[in-house]
Amino acid sequence: MTHSEATIQSLDPKKSFQGLILTLQNFWARKGAVILQPYDMEVGAGTFHPATTLRSLGKKPWKAAYVQPSRRPKDGRYGENPNRLQHYYQYQVILKPSPDNLQELYLESLAAIGVDAALHDIRFVEDDWESPTLGAWGLGWECWCDGMEVSQFTYFQQVAGVECAPVSGELTYGLERLAMYVQGVENVYDLNFNGLDGDERITYGDVFLQAEQEYSRHNFEAANVEKLFGDFSRAEAECKALLAFGEQGDDEHHKMVLPAYDQCIKASHAFNLLDARGVISVTERQSYILRVRELAKACGAAWMKTEGAGV
Amino acid sequence: MSDLLLELFSEEIPARMQAQAAADLKKLVTDALVERGLTYEAAESYVTPRRLTLNIVGLPVRQPDQREEKKGPRVGAPEAAVQGFLKSAGLASLDQAWIETDKKGGQFYLAVIERAGAATLDVLAEILPAIIRNFPWPKAMRWGAHSAEPNCLRWVRPLHAIVATFGPETEEPEIVPFEIGGIKAGNTTYGHRFMAPQAIKVRRFDDYLTALGAAKVVLDPARRRDIILHDCKDLAFAQGLELVEDEGLLHEVAGLVEWPVVLMGEFDASFLDIPGEVIRATIRANQKCFVLRDPETGKLANKFLLVSNVIASDGGKAIAAGNGRVVRARLSDALYFWKTDQGPLPDYADKGKPLDQRLAKLRALNIVFHQKLGTQGERVNRIMALAREMAPKVGADPDQAARAAELAKADLVTEVVGEFPEVQGLMGRTYAELQGEDGAVAVAIEDHYKPQGPNDLIPAAPVSIAVALADKLDTLVGFWAIDEKPTGSKDPFALRRAALGMIRIILENNLRIRLGHEIGKMILPYFAQAKVHELGNIIKDINSSADASLASADATQRFSMETLRGHRERTLDQGQEVINRAADLLTFFADRLKVYLRDRGARHDLLDAVFALGEDDLVMIVSRINALENFLKTEDGASLLAGYKRAGNILKAEEKKDGAGAFEKHPEANLRIEHEEHVLAAALDRAEREAGEALKAEDFEGAMHALSKLRAPVDGFFDKVTVNSENADLRRNRLQLLAQLRRAIHLVADFSKIGGA
């Protein structure tokens, strides 16, 4: 293989995982989105990134796209399930206000990564999105390609307890699934990561299999429960303290939303780990979710008093 | 006459909301038109994932003119009254009013207001935006830049275009002039999203339908369903297989496509180790695909049918392959769940066999069954105790019944049931078999939920019956105890189904159970629980009064006596409440039984007649009803019923004078003077004795037969004897004889509740 062939394959969305990501980045950059980098914290979904949660609030227009590593401790399968991972990548697009041609834009992005609408069955199947922990909900669909859910498409109606005005459109692509689809592989660990062949080929398994095994052990067996309960309480207390600090002496403006929101994210992740450890009963579960939601709502309310929300 | 074509073109409407939306659109628009005097010949609505369409045929082009008379003040009334009249009638001066004369000769003003009917086009322009704005979607949303404005348009998903044309068949129709949420009504629609996305100009329904057909849109959901079902059966047949029909799924998939194309996919045969119901649930819930079975063996085949929305350029190969991959992935998940459920459960591995471990987890998690009825664990304990008690009555082994009840809910915490709640019971049974439970126990775990509906089979094996009855009775008594009964169309806990299920199990298995007795026994503990709480309050009150005693010993004593008296009264009230609720539940059973019997063509008024006796054994109730029905069909029976009614009417009238129960003493022999009185008295004594003996032997036919012998003496009595004799003693004695007749007949049924005759 020549050097230039290798370059093409390593950027080809149908040949490499990274090519898929780079194609989406280019596509949305051309559509005027700010291309951000992942948020540097453990989150359950791309929605948690403040570029979505907080930026979807208020009247200022906003367009952004980014990859977000997402952690769902309970979905760990010790690397033995071909489809489930406790750590995976989402590609997140947020457009405020939602453009009238959002569905067409989305289909155009699928075409860009090689999903041909003349050959495949692309469908918008009802799926109302709700995040109890974020105090958020929206209406939209799961987007199916030949029966596989490859994206989530949502018109946000409320986030962090705040009514969205205007409404944002959110697209979330499940990158591994999409890549498995376009590469035609049945096991996520067989995905070609860098698009090269032979000795130079790096698979998803080369990069992540060991991590999945170790983190599954961690999430289900080893994570210290006492420490996690402590993490949760400390993050909760810190979030409240920071919010109180930020509103000192001024009812109209808030000066410390982002750091407070980080603590909300921390509490949420601690909860997810505790849930994976199976130490939270059904009734307690509700109360933990409620506690995180209270933090998220307080952050949302505070954000509405900042420049970011157009104040 | 003109026609209206209305199409609301949007992003994908959820399948489950489509049918109702089409019905709502038709009703709202036609109602609004009729209300404004515009009747029509025909109206039909249609729906696809992207459009909601209404076609109204034969509307007049104008509303009829309206004439209204408005009565004004009398001639010569004060100026203020005259001015008010002119203003309200819209007249400039009294010259425009008529003067009329009323009956008394007084003169008054009358305004005649004539309103020319508006053009239907204008009426439509007024009503359509209001209907769109207030459309009753179960959930509606805002979108786009408009969504920042207050009172912006809401729709189920973003609305993009509106077609609204109105005109006669022969001419170019007009566009109904309105605009809503920045969308102007017009005559442009769009074809299939992928196969024919271009704009289409339309005039009226027939060219619209044709154009859509050409643009790969089947407008009528019923036609899409027909196409899907037909193609599914054809494809299955070609492979020597049979479609597992699924009406709910058919409706759903017909709501997901505008142009249905059925394709066949397959999965690895090794997945067929998973129970068929789980495979079906997986493929149905996640992939919305149909499964197929081998008509020879009845077992599932490793093939499935999917309904796609496009004619793909490769004939659907990629689509079928893609769906196959997803189905395989889903089945790997199901296989993982299925295997996991059979293995040890972390943290509960020392709690016995796999299902016992799940039960331990169910208990430990304190999963709430209902806020006021405690946890699932507590419920399992109650059902176990009750199943054990029921067992001997239904011929089941008590230990087996208790074991089945113990494991009956354990599958709720298995992975498979967590994923697919519809296979609850079935999974419990399967896992029970795998861990070596007795066959009767395993079957009971599945069958205790039965019957799930009026056409479902009832459990047949004794252990299953014991657990099924215990489960349902526990549910019913519990919800009655906390006063959560079904009302109107609301029955969130399916209590009607539970009661009907019990009735079927009891009757179809001929089980002898005193329902009232069982309900009474079970409902008590719920109040006993409340009583424990009450006791706590008493102790608290006494303690606090003891504290108060430091201040005044006298006051303390008075206080605590009053408190205790209050508690005693509340306790009595609660006792009464227990009786009321138990009786109410029994009445609920009677009502359900009535529905059950009516469905089988039996006379439900006979149930009232039998139920009034206080019978609570369903089998006895039904055999009494059957005997009664047969008896009433005979001449003796019909005639006796007439005699009974006559006696009853006389008694009712006379009891009004002498007081209720005035004639219940046994009549005296020495006050009989007519021959017919002697004959009837003797016949009554014999009939009461014979009927009583027959009833003891549960021989209702015999009891009826004994009563039938009363017919001739009763007829003779009424022919010859004047009941209301002038002699007070004779009158009383004759009325007592009639009261005895009534008592005798009430041995088998309260004939006063029987209609007709």
Side-chain angles (χ1 to χ4, degrees):
Chain A
M1 187 162 34
T2 67
H3 181 71
S4 62
E5 272 168 356
T7 313
I8 289 162
Q9 285 200 17
S10 62
L11 293 177
D12 183 348
K14 299 184 90 160
K15 296 266 163 53
S16 73
F17 187 58
Q18 65 201 32
L20 177 77
I21 294 174
L22 293 167
T23 306
L24 284 173
Q25 298 278 48
N26 282 319
F27 177 87
W28 286 106
R30 277 199 297 275
K31 298 292 174 191
V34 171
I35 304 299
L36 292 171
Q37 299 306 316
Y39 203 55
D40 58 340
M41 294 187 67
E42 296 142 315
V43 295
T47 312
F48 275 82
H49 195 310
T52 292
T53 332
L54 297 178
R55 291 276 180 185
S56 65
L57 302 179
K59 52 184 185 281
K60 269 189 166 178
W62 175 245
K63 287 184 190 180
Y66 53 89
V67 175
Q68 182 60 52
S70 305
R71 303 208 188 206
R72 305 246 167 117
K74 242 184 158 170
D75 281 351
R77 293 288 184 272
Y78 295 85
E80 286 164 14
N81 185 294
N83 302 291
R84 268 184 208 244
L85 303 162
Q86 56 82 46
H87 171 284
Y88 65 104
Y89 288 119
Q90 288 189 340
Y91 194 83
Q92 175 86 1
V93 180
I94 176 95
L95 303 172
K96 180 171 78 171
S98 64
D100 279 348
N101 63 342
L102 187 52
Q103 282 186 311
E104 282 70 34
L105 285 174
Y106 169 70
L107 293 171
E108 212 185 303
S109 73
L110 288 189
I113 54 175
V115 178
D116 177 3
L119 197 59
H120 297 288
D121 184 28
I122 301 166
R123 223 86 70 73
F124 294 91
V125 180
E126 178 193 15
D127 188 33
D128 297 345
W129 174 81
E130 191 187 358
S131 167
T133 43
L134 276 181
W137 70 276
L139 299 188
W141 310 273
E142 305 177 343
C143 304
W144 285 20
C145 179
D146 298 343
M148 161 133 56
E149 182 194 345
V150 289
S151 312
Q152 193 75 41
F153 189 131
T154 308
Y155 291 101
F156 282 161
Q157 304 292 302
Q158 192 189 68
V159 174
V162 179
E163 203 73 0
C164 297
V167 161
S168 302
E170 182 207 45
L171 303 174
T172 304
Y173 303 75
L175 287 174
E176 284 82 355
R177 285 210 189 168
L178 208 44
M180 284 166 73
Y181 198 81
V182 295
Q183 288 189 28
V185 303
E186 306 238 343
N187 188 328
V188 65
Y189 299 106
D190 294 338
L191 278 177
N192 190 331
F193 209 110
N194 62 352
L196 301 183
D197 298 321
D199 290 350
E200 289 183 300
R201 170 186 154 105
I202 301 287
T203 67
Y204 195 89
D206 293 333
V207 184
F208 285 118
L209 181 58
Q210 183 185 335
E212 281 299 313
Q213 292 162 342
E214 292 186 4
Y215 274 104
S216 293
R217 270 174 230 129
H218 166 264
N219 301 343
F220 294 122
E221 302 165 45
N224 184 308
V225 172
E226 290 313 310
K227 184 233 171 219
L228 289 170
F229 277 122
D231 286 351
F232 185 92
S233 313
R234 275 190 302 276
E236 184 184 36
E238 182 73 352
C239 178
K240 289 178 181 167
L242 293 177
L243 284 173
F245 187 97
E247 65 182 2
Q248 274 172 23
D250 186 350
D251 285 347
E252 304 295 315
H253 297 89
H254 202 285
K255 299 187 189 69
M256 200 170 292
V257 184
L258 291 161
Y261 179 67
D262 282 354
Q263 298 301 318
C264 170
I265 294 178
K266 271 199 171 58
S268 173
H269 183 63
F271 162 72
N272 287 341
L273 278 169
L274 285 165
D275 199 24
R277 290 285 279 122
V279 292
I280 293 183
S281 79
V282 175
T283 29
E284 284 173 323
R285 202 165 183 277
Q286 272 314 310
S287 94
Y288 274 97
I289 288 173
L290 204 67
R291 281 162 76 181
V292 179
R293 176 159 70 217
E294 286 313 310
L295 299 181
K297 283 168 97 170
C299 291
W303 173 262
M304 293 305 286
K305 297 180 187 169
T306 67
E307 207 191 323
V311 172
Chain B
M1 288 290 151
S2 285
D3 304 341
L4 168 73
L5 169 65
L6 175 68
E7 183 203 59
L8 301 159
F9 181 80
S10 68
E11 297 180 14
E12 278 74 357
I13 306 167
R16 67 189 169 92
M17 299 177 187
Q18 292 172 12
Q20 187 61 47
D24 286 342
L25 181 66
K26 177 171 147 183
K27 181 164 169 33
L28 289 169
V29 177
T30 53
D31 282 0
L33 286 169
V34 171
E35 203 178 291
R36 287 161 182 77
L38 292 166
T39 52
Y40 56 94
E41 279 165 22
E44 200 50 71
S45 58
Y46 306 90
V47 62
T48 79
R50 297 174 78 204
R51 59 199 91 220
L52 202 48
T53 300
L54 177 64
N55 174 32
I56 302 185
V57 178
L59 276 166
V61 293
R62 298 195 77 79
Q63 282 176 313
D65 294 342
Q66 283 173 332
R67 186 173 187 276
E68 189 193 341
E69 291 188 351
K70 199 170 186 120
K71 197 179 163 188
R74 66 186 160 78
V75 173
E79 185 59 19
V82 171
Q83 286 306 324
F85 165 64
L86 291 176
K87 199 175 166 196
S88 75
L91 303 183
S93 75
L94 282 175
D95 299 342
Q96 293 171 323
W98 299 78
I99 294 175
E100 294 278 317
T101 307
D102 66 19
K103 279 178 202 155
K104 290 176 190 159
Q107 288 190 313
F108 64 92
Y109 292 109
L110 184 77
V112 176
I113 306 161
E114 285 186 336
R115 240 180 262 124
T120 305
L121 191 71
D122 296 333
V123 175
L124 286 168
E126 174 206 325
I127 61 177
L128 294 181
I131 288 169
I132 294 168
R133 189 167 286 283
N134 300 310
F135 201 80
W137 291 109
K139 248 190 206 170
M141 56 165 276
R142 301 170 293 124
W143 67 93
H146 280 288
S147 60
E149 295 161 15
N151 299 320
C152 63
L153 176 63
R154 286 166 185 266
W155 198 245
V156 64
R157 291 293 182 275
L159 182 66
H160 282 294
I162 299 174
V163 169
T165 66
F166 181 72
E169 211 175 312
T170 47
E171 289 166 30
E172 191 66 24
E174 288 183 84
I175 288 167
V176 183
F178 71 94
E179 185 177 330
I180 184 165
I183 304 161
K184 218 172 153 197
N187 59 356
T188 304
T189 185
Y190 302 87
H192 188 279
R193 183 189 280 290
F194 299 106
M195 295 190 283
Q198 60 276 15
I200 303 168
K201 289 261 179 277
V202 297
R203 303 170 72 205
R204 62 179 63 78
F205 186 74
D206 44 6
D207 67 87
Y208 166 81
L209 189 66
T210 314
L212 282 187
K216 296 285 183 281
V217 174
V218 179
L219 182 66
D220 186 352
R223 238 197 97 211
R224 294 197 300 274
R225 288 196 295 273
D226 284 349
I227 294 170
I228 294 168
L229 191 60
H230 182 264
D231 291 357
C232 278
K233 286 182 172 169
D234 274 3
L235 278 175
F237 183 76
Q239 297 281 325
L241 298 170
E242 193 175 75
L243 174 70
V244 178
E245 288 195 39
D246 189 330
E247 191 65 22
L249 183 61
L250 179 62
H251 273 80
E252 189 179 1
V253 294
L256 289 172
V257 294
E258 290 203 309
W259 190 264
V261 177
V262 180
L263 298 168
M264 187 176 282
E266 68 181 319
F267 54 86
D268 199 298
S270 66
F271 285 120
L272 292 173
D273 291 345
I274 307 171
E277 283 305 315
V278 176
I279 293 179
R280 184 179 167 198
T282 304
I283 291 182
R284 178 191 205 282
N286 296 312
Q287 294 315 122
K288 311 197 192 298
C289 295
F290 295 91
V291 290
L292 298 161
R293 69 178 152 231
D294 182 339
E296 301 289 310
T297 61
K299 294 215 165 114
L300 285 193
N302 62 330
K303 296 216 166 33
F304 63 92
L305 293 170
L306 68 106
V307 183
S308 83
N309 189 33
V310 289
I311 304 168
S313 52
D314 66 346
K317 280 200 195 76
I319 296 173
N323 274 276
R325 270 213 305 263
V326 188
V327 163
R328 284 195 290 283
R330 293 292 190 177
L331 289 177
S332 324
D333 266 355
L335 187 64
Y336 170 82
F337 294 143
W338 160 244
K339 295 270 189 236
T340 306
D341 286 340
Q342 296 170 49
L345 190 62
D347 300 337
Y348 298 93
D350 59 339
K351 304 288 183 197
K353 296 176 180 174
L355 262 189
D356 296 83
Q357 296 174 22
R358 270 77 192 170
L359 175 66
K361 186 174 174 186
L362 180 88
R363 290 185 191 281
L365 288 181
N366 287 323
I367 297 168
V368 175
F369 167 62
H370 180 282
Q371 211 81 62
K372 292 185 188 162
L373 295 176
T375 61
Q376 286 282 16
E378 288 165 342
R379 183 151 175 264
V380 166
N381 292 346
R382 287 198 302 268
I383 298 174
M384 275 174 76
L386 189 57
R388 184 180 284 284
E389 205 188 302
M390 283 282 170
K393 294 177 194 163
V394 303
D397 177 79
D399 289 337
Q400 285 189 346
R403 176 64 176 156
E406 182 178 22
L407 295 178
K409 309 293 179 191
D411 68 354
L412 293 180
V413 286
T414 61
E415 302 280 340
V416 169
V417 175
E419 201 74 9
F420 309 111
E422 65 269 36
V423 293
Q424 66 176 17
L426 173 76
M427 296 320 296
R429 173 196 178 150
T430 316
Y431 294 135
E433 281 165 353
L434 286 168
Q435 72 176 30
E437 297 294 332
D438 186 281
V441 169
V443 168
I445 293 172
E446 177 177 10
D447 284 1
H448 89 281
Y449 288 110
K450 290 184 182 171
Q452 301 268 27
N455 302 317
D456 193 16
L457 291 176
I458 55 160
V463 177
S464 307
I465 291 171
V467 185
L469 287 178
D471 181 44
K472 291 171 177 62
L473 195 55
D474 176 74
T475 305
L476 285 163
V477 171
F479 282 103
W480 247 260
I482 60 166
D483 209 16
E484 285 266 2
K485 300 177 287 189
T487 50
S489 60
K490 286 201 186 104
D491 184 8
F493 305 106
L495 300 178
R496 289 195 183 102
R497 191 171 76 192
L500 182 62
M502 283 189 68
I503 289 170
R504 286 187 53 204
I505 294 172
I506 289 172
L507 291 180
E508 290 169 35
N509 287 296
N510 213 23
L511 301 174
R512 305 298 303 276
I513 290 167
R514 297 274 317 277
L515 262 186
H517 182 71
E518 300 297 335
I519 292 168
K521 247 188 340 195
M522 284 176 60
I523 208 163
L524 265 173
Y526 286 97
F527 288 90
Q529 230 170 17
K531 195 92 342 135
V532 172
H533 184 69
E534 186 85 345
L535 199 64
N537 284 339
I538 296 177
I539 292 165
K540 228 191 295 167
D541 283 347
I542 293 175
N543 281 345
S544 66
S545 51
D547 290 344
S549 75
L550 294 171
S552 155
D554 215 26
T556 307
Q557 194 147 21
R558 202 172 58 234
F559 174 70
S560 61
M561 281 310 292
E562 278 167 9
T563 312
L564 285 174
R565 201 170 295 134
H567 284 304
R568 195 189 59 188
E569 256 143 45
R570 248 172 289 160
T571 308
L572 286 176
D573 283 350
Q574 281 184 3
Q576 189 55 48
E577 191 62 32
V578 177
I579 294 167
N580 290 347
R581 293 206 185 153
D584 189 54
L585 178 53
L586 205 55
T587 311
F588 180 72
F589 269 106
D591 288 342
R592 291 296 101 199
L593 179 60
K594 216 182 273 186
V595 174
Y596 173 83
L597 292 175
R598 196 174 49 210
D599 289 349
R600 275 156 192 76
R603 282 176 60 177
H604 57 86
D605 57 333
L606 301 185
L607 172 73
D608 289 332
V610 171
F611 193 69
L613 305 180
E615 176 68 85
D616 65 346
D617 177 327
L618 299 184
V619 171
M620 286 300 99
I621 288 178
V622 171
S623 26
R624 262 181 207 254
I625 290 173
N626 289 339
L628 190 55
E629 190 162 10
N630 289 333
F631 177 55
L632 290 175
K633 277 183 200 151
T634 65
E635 212 191 320
D636 280 349
S639 171
L640 187 65
L641 176 61
Y644 167 89
K645 293 234 154 159
R646 192 164 167 192
N649 289 337
I650 294 171
L651 280 167
K652 219 186 280 168
E654 299 310 309
E655 277 168 348
K656 263 189 201 143
K657 296 175 196 156
D658 294 38
F663 312 115
E664 295 303 324
K665 269 195 195 151
H666 199 270
E668 291 169 43
N670 57 9
L671 285 173
R672 289 176 202 139
I673 53 172
E674 303 286 353
H675 169 68
E676 284 75 12
E677 289 179 88
H678 287 290
V679 172
L680 179 58
L684 275 172
D685 286 341
R686 199 177 59 234
E688 274 188 319
R689 197 180 57 243
E690 287 177 6
E693 279 166 10
L695 287 175
K696 250 184 232 157
E698 294 177 356
D699 172 12
F700 299 112
E701 301 285 347
M704 305 283 168
H705 179 68
L707 290 182
S708 72
K709 292 177 194 158
L710 286 171
R711 184 219 165 160
V714 168
D715 289 351
F717 176 84
F718 280 125
D719 275 352
K720 291 280 154 49
V721 182
T722 307
V723 177
N724 280 320
S725 161
E726 283 173 13
N727 179 322
D729 287 340
L730 290 183
R731 169 181 169 269
R732 196 188 62 243
N733 207 52
R734 287 171 184 168
L735 286 166
Q736 285 174 349
L737 198 58
L738 292 185
Q740 191 188 356
L741 169 67
R742 186 168 65 183
R743 285 198 302 276
I745 288 180
H746 281 193
L747 286 174
V748 296
D750 182 345
F751 275 37
S752 70
K753 307 272 188 206
I754 299 175

